[in-house]
């Protein structure tokens, strides 16, 4: 299965915040949207960073207090890996495992098309596994 | 992917504990140092809950609590689903999938041994899974 299919099933909605907005605002957005990560796009809409739960824990650990003043661009993760629609679910999971990240923005020709998370991909694998087990059982009993 | 026992998935993993009375700030330092997404929270020698990155986000910062003055007991996820180390790993994945969470503490005789997460387990299991699929496809070609 390809990331294109995963995106078709989950939808292309991406929650984004501007680089200049405060961390406090980003956190309020994450709570309102019930997401663990928000993308930070540039003027053309291409992601330049991602702000995630892990960054939040980092801020807490560093004793960062004034989150209303701290801009997202100072706290986000900048070196993001992006995926393509033609990438397979296994490839994407392999990347997430090796590089230790959980959110993969999908970009084609400089345009952001969606975001898949490790949760989305594990779900796909579980469904595939369940279907295969069923198919094997049917094959064996036929 | 389904069959490997959780005991072998957690391997030599050292469980990372925090006391229910510890502050969120201290817990965050521990999580950052060990690069983990969740801690096992203990009270009176037993597992009382887990504290996850999501709790830090939604229950501490989004609620405007002071991390230095908030205890884990106030904001942790209480009574998380746990799993025995003898169960197949697939069961843990199903729990995560159905409950929409990412961490399951592994408990034996009331004692937490570690934690499985979607990520920790995906590495070798995923490779094995893909290898199994390839083998099956080859067999299919030979039989077909």
């Amino acid at each position: 299965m390809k990331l294109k299919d995963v995106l078709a099933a989950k939808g292309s909605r991406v929650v984004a915040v501007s680089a200049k907005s405060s961390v406090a605002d980003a956190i309020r957005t994450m709570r309102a949207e019930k997401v663990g990560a928000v993308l930070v796009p540039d003027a053309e809409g291409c992601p330049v960073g991602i702000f995630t739960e892990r960054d939040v824990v980092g801020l807490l650990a560093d004793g960062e207090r004034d989150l209303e003043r701290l801009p997202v661009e100072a706290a986000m993760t900048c070196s993001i890996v992006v995926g393509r629609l033609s990438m397979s679910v296994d490839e994407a999971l392999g990347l997430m495992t090796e590089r230790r990240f959980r959110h993969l923005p999908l970009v084609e020709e400089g345009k952001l098309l969606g975001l898949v998370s490790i949760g989305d991909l594990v779900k796909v694998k579980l469904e595939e596994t369940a279907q295969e087990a069923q198919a094997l059982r049917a094959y064996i009993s036929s | 992917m389904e069959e490997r026992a959780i005991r072998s998935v957690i391997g030599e993993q050292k469980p990372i504990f925090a006391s229910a009375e510890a502050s969120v700030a201290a817990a965050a330092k521990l999580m950052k140092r060990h690069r983990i997404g969740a801690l096992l929270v203990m009270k009176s020698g037993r597992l009382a809950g887990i504290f996850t990155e999501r709790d830090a986000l939604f229950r501490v910062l989004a609620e405007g609590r002071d991390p230095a003055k908030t205890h884990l007991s106030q904001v942790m996820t209480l009574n998380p689903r746990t799993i025995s180390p003898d169960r197949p790993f697939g069961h843990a994945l199903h729990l995560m999938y159905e409950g929409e969470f990412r961490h399951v503490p592994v408990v034996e005789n009331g004692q937490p041994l570690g934690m499985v997460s979607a990520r920790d387990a995906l590495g070798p299991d995923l490779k094995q899974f893909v290898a199994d699929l390839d083998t099956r496809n080859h067999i299919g070609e030979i039989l077909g």
Side-chain angles (χ1 to χ4, degrees):
Chain A
M1 191 183 258
K2 307 279 184 202
L3 296 187
K4 188 175 139 195
D5 308 310
V6 178
L7 204 59
K10 77 163 278 197
S12 58
R13 195 182 73 104
V14 175
V15 181
V17 299
S18 94
K20 302 282 177 210
S21 61
S22 71
V23 165
D25 271 339
I27 289 170
R28 283 190 276 270
T29 303
M30 288 158 95
R31 178 169 65 169
E33 302 284 344
K34 295 194 171 68
V35 292
V38 285
L39 278 178
V40 185
D42 64 11
E44 274 77 49
C46 203
V48 289
I50 189 164
F51 182 70
T52 74
E53 290 161 305
R54 183 131 308 185
D55 298 319
V56 166
V57 169
L59 289 173
L60 283 178
D62 296 341
E64 203 60 65
R65 286 297 172 87
D66 200 355
L67 303 182
E68 296 288 349
R69 278 165 186 258
L70 186 70
V72 166
E73 62 188 351
M76 67 187 185
T77 301
C78 284
S79 58
I80 51 173
V81 179
V82 298
R84 296 188 171 279
L85 295 177
S86 58
M87 194 180 257
S88 74
V89 168
D90 289 331
E91 264 179 276
L93 278 171
L95 261 182
M96 287 179 173
T97 307
E98 276 165 31
R99 306 278 296 269
R100 294 193 72 83
F101 62 90
R102 290 189 297 232
H103 299 89
L104 185 68
L106 301 184
V107 173
E108 293 281 343
E109 291 170 5
K111 285 193 78 171
L112 175 66
L113 300 178
L115 179 71
V116 294
S117 72
I118 197 165
D120 298 328
L121 301 184
V122 167
K123 193 171 153 187
V124 168
K125 298 303 290 184
L126 281 172
E127 280 160 356
E128 274 181 8
T129 315
Q131 278 168 11
E132 271 172 38
Q134 208 172 16
L136 277 178
R137 243 175 264 137
Y139 176 70
I140 291 164
S141 63
S142 69
Chain B
M1 169 142 152
E2 297 271 297
E3 299 303 327
R4 203 147 80 101
I6 285 171
R7 197 183 298 280
S8 75
V9 173
I10 57 173
E12 299 297 303
Q13 181 192 106
K14 270 204 163 160
I16 311 293
F17 299 110
S19 148
E21 298 315 311
S23 71
V24 166
K29 286 197 179 83
L30 205 55
M31 288 159 85
K32 187 179 177 186
R33 175 153 26 105
H34 292 280
R35 300 181 71 193
I36 51 173
L39 290 171
L40 297 159
V41 184
M42 306 296 286
K43 194 171 188 178
S44 311
R46 296 193 68 83
L47 180 72
I50 59 174
F51 180 70
T52 70
E53 290 169 331
R54 189 142 297 201
D55 297 330
L57 173 62
F58 288 165
R59 295 189 184 154
V60 181
L61 286 184
E63 297 287 336
R65 293 178 195 254
D66 181 346
K69 292 186 182 146
T70 305
H71 299 293
L72 294 185
S73 57
Q74 297 170 269
V75 289
M76 66 186 177
T77 298
L78 281 167
N79 304 318
R81 287 297 304 263
T82 63
I83 196 158
S84 143
D86 297 320
R87 308 293 289 179
F89 172 61
H91 285 210
L93 278 182
H94 276 281
L95 282 181
M96 291 177 204
Y97 170 53
E98 280 163 16
E100 298 200 332
F101 42 75
R102 288 191 300 246
H103 298 92
V104 182
V106 182
V107 176
E108 187 172 44
N109 302 325
Q111 287 304 309
L113 302 182
M115 186 117 69
V116 281
S117 75
R119 139 149 17 248
D120 288 336
L122 272 175
D125 279 282
L126 187 67
K127 289 201 177 88
Q128 184 58 43
F129 183 73
V130 175
D132 287 350
L133 268 191
D134 280 348
T135 315
R136 216 174 289 162
N137 289 342
H138 283 309
I139 292 172
E141 280 166 23
I142 295 164
L143 291 178

